[in-house]
Amino acid sequence: MSLSYIMPGFRGTLAFTVFYLSLVVLIPLSSLVFKSFQLSWGDYWAIITHKRVLAAFKVSFATSFVAALATGFFGFIIAWVMVRYPVPGKRFLDALIDLPFALPTAVAGVVLATIYQPSGVLGQWLFNTFGLKVAYTPLGIVVALVFIGLPFIVRTVEPVLQEFDASMEEAAASLGASRWQIFSRVIFPNIFPALLTGVSLSFARGVGEYGSVIFIAGNLPYVSEIVPLLIVTKLEQYQYAGATAIALTMLVISFVLLLLINLLQRWVRMRSGQI
Amino acid sequence: MSIELRNISKKFGHFSALKDINLEIAEGELVALLGPSGCGKTTLLRIIAGLERPDSGHVMLNGVDKTSHHVSSRGIGFVFQHYALFRHMTVFDNVAFGLRVKPRRDRPSEAQIKQKVSSLLALVQLEWLGERFPDQLSGGQRQRIALARALAVEPEVLLLDEPFGALDASVRKDLRQWLRDLHQELHVTSIFVTHDQEEAMEVASQVVVLHNGNIEQQGSPADIYDYPRNAFVSKFIGQTNILSWRDLRREWLDEASLPGEQPGDGAVAHIRPHNISVEKAVSDIDTPLTIKDWQHLGAIIRIELRYPQLQAEHGSVIYAEMPTERFRELHLEKGDAVAVHIKHAQWFN
């Protein structure tokens, strides 16, 4: 490797990286694969194509996707306001954004369920004014995931917005661009790769989220039951092989999706000359 | 377009960046705003552009008060110190930006845009870079693309903030020449900011010297060099020897270099090195000056003369310059006693 001569320490750091990833990620995950080998192909197929399982997959990925997009939109606005305007109490707000990181997710779930349930403060109001039911529906899951995902967006977009060269905006203005043109043609394209990273992180987090969701989702089979809950249910019924089969499928789908998002990011960066 | 500034003042907090500036610039000039850092030159440029608002005063473009006009409607082109190219766009799209953001009824067709951008890239001699991204260009190339982008909207005034500041010396020299040629070709009123007096003298047709938020002097480069209005300008532009009336010996001076009236105690003479002529001293003459050292600057020689009783900022040394050929004829050696004659001096109190 000619690289090893330019940057010293290539062999050592590569060895460490492979060792660490094996220990922390690959070995546990491969045991998952081996465990599912106990099942025949037919059994495996029967488990994962069961109607209830398919419905759970749909709920999990659809709510995570919608929640990631919604978080992306709101998170971007929050990051924008925090960076661009002299907000009073900025430090306080900044700490508030990170709270979903630190809070036990079950606590978040209980709190959200309490206020969004039909007799809760927000739940009542939403139902009376818009006829919207939030708790115990897929919409409830989205609400929980939006809460959990917010810091991912804000923390990835904020530094990029902060470093954005203000003279680019001035240059655009001096060339006759309107405020909207400056935003849509100059600022947003420069922030977009970071936003995409934030959205994919919050999507990945949403797919795996358990604690906050189960309290607000109501967990009705075929309606608001998520895959992680299904796995836990199977484990509690000592159906280890079935649980692993679903887990493995989840793993593969998530991995493929993340890979696709990564490729999309690469393409965006390439198009904008950042690679 | 002619530019007139009337009583422009600007404060940042308690700091007065500009103090009651009045300035007139005729159409077609190439003007340098020159001054040390923090003198307010960039602020003044940004006020003309509309990127900054003055606290008081008026900006008149072609006789029309544009003080409250937004930067996008002033008909100016601005070139930023660090170019401010759009990183996510190709060079072509950068240059086309100003044309594409025009309101639909004024916007040229894509074919016209393509033609215009190509001709601008040809003007800055970078036709082959259209598909590259700014990060893939050298500093000098970015500078020229930034200029092409500003010219795309056919501004009536071109404003450049430290246009050569971030470039290395050899590129800088080429670009100076190139900017002057370009100005000759387009004849658009242009103003550039610089802290480098050599650059201002070489490129500009008019130089405005700023200091502490005031205009110290405005004039042609030759005017400012030969007839600095005050001690600051004289010190800032080119090299100068500063000698008090007491330090100077009467026999060094003649009618041209003597002060007009009897000088006061604080009177000082500013003398350009090339206005001091050096001769080998005849042995019986009493002179305090000896040759300390000299430097070859190509066609001229700079001689350091030791003058023990002088207490100046740069030590007890007077600088004189003469053509290299003349220096050879004199056969001077280090330590030789010399006599001097001062041909011209600017006196300040």
Side-chain angles (χ1 to χ4, degrees), chain B residues 121-134:
Chain B
L121 288 177
L123 180 72
V124 299
Q125 297 152 10
L126 293 173
E127 303 93 314
W128 71 93
L129 287 181
E131 295 313 306
R132 301 270 190 92
F133 285 97

PDB file of all heavy atoms in Angstrom, chain B residues 121-134:
ATOM      1  N   LEU B 121     -15.866  34.235 -20.141  1.00  0.00           N
ATOM      2  CA  LEU B 121     -14.760  33.340 -19.806  1.00  0.00           C
ATOM      3  C   LEU B 121     -13.586  33.583 -20.746  1.00  0.00           C
ATOM      4  O   LEU B 121     -12.426  33.485 -20.345  1.00  0.00           O
ATOM      5  CB  LEU B 121     -15.218  31.878 -19.867  1.00  0.00           C
ATOM      6  CG  LEU B 121     -16.152  31.443 -18.736  1.00  0.00           C
ATOM      7  CD1 LEU B 121     -16.600  30.004 -18.926  1.00  0.00           C
ATOM      8  CD2 LEU B 121     -15.497  31.603 -17.376  1.00  0.00           C
ATOM      9  N   ALA B 122     -13.902  33.929 -21.994  1.00  0.00           N
ATOM     10  CA  ALA B 122     -12.829  34.247 -22.931  1.00  0.00           C
ATOM     11  C   ALA B 122     -12.141  35.542 -22.516  1.00  0.00           C
ATOM     12  O   ALA B 122     -10.918  35.667 -22.585  1.00  0.00           O
ATOM     13  CB  ALA B 122     -13.385  34.372 -24.347  1.00  0.00           C
ATOM     14  N   LEU B 123     -12.929  36.498 -22.041  1.00  0.00           N
ATOM     15  CA  LEU B 123     -12.375  37.786 -21.619  1.00  0.00           C
ATOM     16  C   LEU B 123     -11.372  37.596 -20.475  1.00  0.00           C
ATOM     17  O   LEU B 123     -10.330  38.246 -20.441  1.00  0.00           O
ATOM     18  CB  LEU B 123     -13.517  38.707 -21.169  1.00  0.00           C
ATOM     19  CG  LEU B 123     -13.124  40.096 -20.699  1.00  0.00           C
ATOM     20  CD1 LEU B 123     -12.678  40.951 -21.871  1.00  0.00           C
ATOM     21  CD2 LEU B 123     -14.271  40.766 -19.968  1.00  0.00           C
ATOM     22  N   VAL B 124     -11.703  36.701 -19.536  1.00  0.00           N
ATOM     23  CA  VAL B 124     -10.768  36.464 -18.432  1.00  0.00           C
ATOM     24  C   VAL B 124      -9.796  35.323 -18.756  1.00  0.00           C
ATOM     25  O   VAL B 124      -9.074  34.843 -17.895  1.00  0.00           O
ATOM     26  CB  VAL B 124     -11.494  36.176 -17.090  1.00  0.00           C
ATOM     27  CG1 VAL B 124     -12.347  37.359 -16.686  1.00  0.00           C
ATOM     28  CG2 VAL B 124     -12.345  34.920 -17.170  1.00  0.00           C
ATOM     29  N   GLN B 125      -9.802  34.898 -20.001  1.00  0.00           N
ATOM     30  CA  GLN B 125      -8.857  33.912 -20.520  1.00  0.00           C
ATOM     31  C   GLN B 125      -8.915  32.574 -19.789  1.00  0.00           C
ATOM     32  O   GLN B 125      -7.893  31.949 -19.519  1.00  0.00           O
ATOM     33  CB  GLN B 125      -7.427  34.480 -20.457  1.00  0.00           C
ATOM     34  CG  GLN B 125      -7.265  35.700 -21.330  1.00  0.00           C
ATOM     35  CD  GLN B 125      -6.186  36.643 -20.809  1.00  0.00           C
ATOM     36  OE1 GLN B 125      -5.452  36.303 -19.906  1.00  0.00           O
ATOM     37  NE2 GLN B 125      -6.096  37.819 -21.390  1.00  0.00           N
ATOM     38  N   LEU B 126     -10.140  32.135 -19.458  1.00  0.00           N
ATOM     39  CA  LEU B 126     -10.282  30.848 -18.776  1.00  0.00           C
ATOM     40  C   LEU B 126     -11.403  30.032 -19.405  1.00  0.00           C
ATOM     41  O   LEU B 126     -12.160  29.358 -18.721  1.00  0.00           O
ATOM     42  CB  LEU B 126     -10.582  31.068 -17.286  1.00  0.00           C
ATOM     43  CG  LEU B 126      -9.475  31.697 -16.446  1.00  0.00           C
ATOM     44  CD1 LEU B 126      -9.973  32.013 -15.051  1.00  0.00           C
ATOM     45  CD2 LEU B 126      -8.255  30.793 -16.363  1.00  0.00           C
ATOM     46  N   GLU B 127     -11.506  30.064 -20.750  1.00  0.00           N
ATOM     47  CA  GLU B 127     -12.604  29.390 -21.446  1.00  0.00           C
ATOM     48  C   GLU B 127     -12.703  27.920 -21.074  1.00  0.00           C
ATOM     49  O   GLU B 127     -13.786  27.363 -21.013  1.00  0.00           O
ATOM     50  CB  GLU B 127     -12.422  29.436 -22.964  1.00  0.00           C
ATOM     51  CG  GLU B 127     -12.278  30.781 -23.591  1.00  0.00           C
ATOM     52  CD  GLU B 127     -10.841  31.203 -23.735  1.00  0.00           C
ATOM     53  OE1 GLU B 127     -10.066  31.048 -22.768  1.00  0.00           O
ATOM     54  OE2 GLU B 127     -10.482  31.700 -24.818  1.00  0.00           O
ATOM     55  N   TRP B 128     -11.574  27.279 -20.853  1.00  0.00           N
ATOM     56  CA  TRP B 128     -11.574  25.826 -20.702  1.00  0.00           C
ATOM     57  C   TRP B 128     -11.965  25.355 -19.295  1.00  0.00           C
ATOM     58  O   TRP B 128     -12.016  24.180 -19.029  1.00  0.00           O
ATOM     59  CB  TRP B 128     -10.196  25.273 -21.082  1.00  0.00           C
ATOM     60  CG  TRP B 128      -9.136  25.598 -20.075  1.00  0.00           C
ATOM     61  CD1 TRP B 128      -8.752  24.800 -19.025  1.00  0.00           C
ATOM     62  CD2 TRP B 128      -8.359  26.776 -19.986  1.00  0.00           C
ATOM     63  NE1 TRP B 128      -7.792  25.431 -18.291  1.00  0.00           N
ATOM     64  CE2 TRP B 128      -7.521  26.639 -18.859  1.00  0.00           C
ATOM     65  CE3 TRP B 128      -8.276  27.950 -20.749  1.00  0.00           C
ATOM     66  CZ2 TRP B 128      -6.625  27.637 -18.470  1.00  0.00           C
ATOM     67  CZ3 TRP B 128      -7.373  28.916 -20.353  1.00  0.00           C
ATOM     68  CH2 TRP B 128      -6.565  28.757 -19.239  1.00  0.00           C
ATOM     69  N   LEU B 129     -12.282  26.295 -18.396  1.00  0.00           N
ATOM     70  CA  LEU B 129     -12.556  25.906 -17.012  1.00  0.00           C
ATOM     71  C   LEU B 129     -14.045  25.820 -16.691  1.00  0.00           C
ATOM     72  O   LEU B 129     -14.413  25.547 -15.562  1.00  0.00           O
ATOM     73  CB  LEU B 129     -11.904  26.907 -16.053  1.00  0.00           C
ATOM     74  CG  LEU B 129     -10.383  26.820 -15.948  1.00  0.00           C
ATOM     75  CD1 LEU B 129      -9.868  27.838 -14.955  1.00  0.00           C
ATOM     76  CD2 LEU B 129      -9.949  25.425 -15.541  1.00  0.00           C
ATOM     77  N   GLY B 130     -14.905  26.025 -17.700  1.00  0.00           N
ATOM     78  CA  GLY B 130     -16.338  26.126 -17.457  1.00  0.00           C
ATOM     79  C   GLY B 130     -16.961  25.018 -16.620  1.00  0.00           C
ATOM     80  O   GLY B 130     -17.824  25.276 -15.802  1.00  0.00           O
ATOM     81  N   GLU B 131     -16.496  23.788 -16.795  1.00  0.00           N
ATOM     82  CA  GLU B 131     -17.130  22.659 -16.107  1.00  0.00           C
ATOM     83  C   GLU B 131     -16.503  22.355 -14.760  1.00  0.00           C
ATOM     84  O   GLU B 131     -16.949  21.468 -14.049  1.00  0.00           O
ATOM     85  CB  GLU B 131     -17.090  21.411 -16.999  1.00  0.00           C
ATOM     86  CG  GLU B 131     -17.922  21.551 -18.268  1.00  0.00           C
ATOM     87  CD  GLU B 131     -19.310  22.110 -18.002  1.00  0.00           C
ATOM     88  OE1 GLU B 131     -20.020  21.532 -17.161  1.00  0.00           O
ATOM     89  OE2 GLU B 131     -19.671  23.145 -18.606  1.00  0.00           O
ATOM     90  N   ARG B 132     -15.440  23.068 -14.392  1.00  0.00           N
ATOM     91  CA  ARG B 132     -14.792  22.814 -13.105  1.00  0.00           C
ATOM     92  C   ARG B 132     -15.577  23.446 -11.967  1.00  0.00           C
ATOM     93  O   ARG B 132     -16.384  24.347 -12.180  1.00  0.00           O
ATOM     94  CB  ARG B 132     -13.385  23.429 -13.092  1.00  0.00           C
ATOM     95  CG  ARG B 132     -12.466  22.915 -14.146  1.00  0.00           C
ATOM     96  CD  ARG B 132     -11.691  21.707 -13.636  1.00  0.00           C
ATOM     97  NE  ARG B 132     -10.651  21.382 -14.600  1.00  0.00           N
ATOM     98  CZ  ARG B 132      -9.416  21.860 -14.523  1.00  0.00           C
ATOM     99  NH1 ARG B 132      -9.083  22.664 -13.534  1.00  0.00           N
ATOM    100  NH2 ARG B 132      -8.528  21.516 -15.422  1.00  0.00           N
ATOM    101  N   PHE B 133     -15.269  22.985 -10.751  1.00  0.00           N
ATOM    102  CA  PHE B 133     -15.828  23.609  -9.558  1.00  0.00           C
ATOM    103  C   PHE B 133     -14.782  24.532  -8.935  1.00  0.00           C
ATOM    104  O   PHE B 133     -13.583  24.314  -9.104  1.00  0.00           O
ATOM    105  CB  PHE B 133     -16.246  22.536  -8.554  1.00  0.00           C
ATOM    106  CG  PHE B 133     -17.508  21.833  -8.948  1.00  0.00           C
ATOM    107  CD1 PHE B 133     -17.469  20.624  -9.616  1.00  0.00           C
ATOM    108  CD2 PHE B 133     -18.736  22.397  -8.655  1.00  0.00           C
ATOM    109  CE1 PHE B 133     -18.639  19.982  -9.992  1.00  0.00           C
ATOM    110  CE2 PHE B 133     -19.910  21.769  -9.021  1.00  0.00           C
ATOM    111  CZ  PHE B 133     -19.857  20.564  -9.700  1.00  0.00           C
ATOM    112  N   PRO B 134     -15.229  25.577  -8.211  1.00  0.00           N
ATOM    113  CA  PRO B 134     -14.291  26.551  -7.646  1.00  0.00           C
ATOM    114  C   PRO B 134     -13.152  25.920  -6.841  1.00  0.00           C
ATOM    115  O   PRO B 134     -12.015  26.390  -6.911  1.00  0.00           O
ATOM    116  CB  PRO B 134     -15.171  27.413  -6.749  1.00  0.00           C
ATOM    117  CG  PRO B 134     -16.515  27.360  -7.390  1.00  0.00           C
ATOM    118  CD  PRO B 134     -16.624  25.975  -7.970  1.00  0.00           C
TER     119      PRO B 134
END
